[in-house]
Amino acid sequence: MSKRLPICLALQGGGSHGAFQWGVLDRLFEQDVLDIRAVTAASAGAMNAAALVSGWEADGPQGARDALDRLWTEVNRSGGRNVFGESGAWLRSLTPQWMTNNPMWQAAQTLALSNSPYTFNPFNLNPLKRVLDATIDFDALKASDVRINVSATSVRQGQSRIFTNPEMSADVLLATACLPHMFQAVEIDGEPYWDGGYLANPALWPLFEADVPRDILILPLNPLRRSETPRQSADIMDRLNEILFNAPLIAEVRAIAFTQSLITQGKLVRAKEWEAPRIHAVLADDWLGELSLASKFDTEWSFLQTLKERGREAADQWLGECSQDVGSCTSIDLQKVFF
């Protein structure tokens, strides 16, 4: 086995589209070329982060692959199947055109968003709790040498909080994935939290510490660019959702690029012990671009497997084109992608 390359992971949130990350990570760990030393994540990305780190502690890269397999198997089981079996293909055939463009469907969406989870879900039932209990070893997370940073949004303070290894719990993962229109805020130490992706999706700044690798591999789940202007209300909401949840990541990457440019121009003096981060990414644009916001709630096994296979293909492409840059230089054009 060749020497593994030390690296940090940054895992964006995006509902069931997190199965795309599953595929990327599965292929990378199968190749066994990366030494994961730190992970920062939000929402669905945090579920992947927790699974891979707890699995990594058990059996290295293969343990991480096994843990991710268990996670997404349980996501499918908790998402439920109807009595007719796999209905995902039928639902997807309706959703993009006929259903989302139908005025009755749009009115139903508006009505659903107007209801509070404190009203329609008074017992705060969340199937994700069972998934976490069945798949995540929280003791392993707390004891792991692999740093984990999970973001959640403080409702009252309007700030992002980063939870680290000693704080890992089911409540932390429920908080980072808490969509406020669907679930009641998750209270931790008396403070209510919502989805971490609103303010840090994911947070990159925890990876700037001196004792973690300078290389950061970002795995986004929301396409950054679109070729057409959305005109249907559902398409407009989809694109708005992507822009809002990409905004924190774009802001941080731009700050990194700006700082690096100042150093290059000699306008900012770099401390001797600090090395600029090297950014890498497996972008979702070409792989998830045609999928709607509604598909982020699709947990049918066939759909999750499709996303996993796309992730594996994307990882293969990255391994062939960019992996040789880990440890030496940034492998993505930050100006072109994030500016």
Side-chain angles (χ1 to χ4, degrees):
M1 181 189 70
S2 59
K3 184 178 179 181
R4 295 174 184 160
L5 303 169
I7 202 168
C8 302
L9 295 176
L11 307 181
Q12 193 179 57
S16 66
H17 290 188
F20 174 77
Q21 284 177 354
W22 170 29
V24 173
L25 296 168
D26 184 73
R27 182 67 185 98
L28 295 179
F29 295 148
E30 180 182 56
Q31 192 74 8
D32 196 12
V33 294
L34 301 180
D35 181 16
I36 310 301
R37 301 313 310 149
V39 187
T40 185
S43 197
M47 310 303 145
N48 284 331
L52 78 87
V53 172
S54 59
W56 189 280
E57 288 301 303
D59 191 22
Q62 185 56 50
R65 294 181 69 197
D66 294 341
L68 286 164
D69 286 350
R70 289 193 297 271
L71 171 68
W72 286 99
T73 299
E74 294 300 330
V75 166
N76 165 252
R77 290 174 178 172
S78 285
R81 301 168 182 260
N82 63 34
V83 294
F84 302 107
E86 298 267 344
S87 60
W90 178 78
L91 287 174
R92 287 193 297 277
S93 71
L94 291 176
T95 302
Q97 293 88 24
W98 179 83
M99 191 175 289
T100 57
N101 293 336
N102 186 295
M104 295 297 291
W105 171 266
Q106 295 166 6
Q109 282 186 311
T110 301
L111 179 61
L113 291 176
S114 69
N115 288 321
S116 166
Y118 294 86
T119 301
F120 69 74
N121 187 9
F123 298 106
N124 201 27
L125 301 178
N126 191 334
L128 183 57
K129 178 66 165 62
R130 190 204 66 80
V131 173
L132 299 176
D133 290 340
T135 60
I136 305 300
D137 183 345
F138 289 101
D139 289 335
L141 291 184
K142 293 176 180 179
S144 178
D145 291 332
V146 180
R147 292 192 185 183
I148 186 168
N149 304 276
V150 171
S151 65
T153 300
S154 171
V155 179
R156 293 197 295 245
Q157 303 301 320
Q159 298 176 345
S160 179
R161 175 176 172 180
I162 305 299
F163 294 88
T164 58
N165 295 66
E167 303 167 293
M168 284 299 107
S169 67
D171 280 346
V172 168
L173 297 183
L174 290 173
T176 189
C178 180
L179 293 173
H181 291 298
M182 298 183 65
F183 300 105
Q184 299 177 23
V186 178
E187 287 202 8
I188 301 175
D189 299 329
E191 179 66 28
Y193 290 93
W194 284 339
D195 193 300
Y198 289 114
L199 294 178
N201 197 20
L204 298 184
W205 62 264
L207 303 180
F208 299 161
E209 299 293 334
D211 56 348
V212 296
R214 295 298 85 201
D215 290 272
I216 302 172
L217 175 57
I218 304 174
L219 302 185
L221 292 178
N222 296 306
L224 292 166
R225 298 182 182 276
R226 292 286 185 181
S227 59
E228 298 180 357
T229 302
R231 298 186 182 277
Q232 298 294 334
S233 63
D235 297 331
I236 292 170
M237 288 303 299
D238 284 1
R239 187 55 181 153
L240 181 60
N241 177 272
E242 290 172 351
I243 291 171
L244 290 175
F245 277 101
N246 277 332
L249 177 62
I250 291 173
E252 284 206 74
V253 174
R254 284 182 172 181
I256 292 170
F258 180 64
T259 301
Q260 290 177 342
S261 69
L262 291 179
I263 293 173
T264 301
Q265 297 170 38
K267 297 179 180 179
L268 185 66
V269 178
R270 177 175 63 87
K272 292 183 178 180
E273 67 276 8
W274 187 82
E275 185 180 358
R278 295 179 287 268
I279 306 298
H280 316 275
V282 179
L283 299 177
D285 298 51
D286 294 337
W287 305 96
L288 303 179
E290 88 284 5
L291 300 177
S292 68
L293 173 62
S295 68
K296 291 184 176 181
F297 302 98
D298 186 348
T299 58
E300 290 283 356
W301 188 242
S302 59
F303 181 59
L304 298 180
Q305 284 291 305
T306 296
L307 294 181
K308 180 185 180 184
E309 286 308 310
R310 291 185 187 184
R312 285 180 57 85
E313 291 177 27
D316 261 332
Q317 182 177 314
W318 183 83
L319 285 168
E321 298 176 358
C322 304
S323 61
Q324 67 275 8
D325 293 326
V326 175
S328 60
C329 64
T330 289
S331 62
I332 186 171
D333 187 336
L334 300 182
Q335 291 286 334
K336 180 180 178 180
V337 175
F338 292 97
F339 282 75

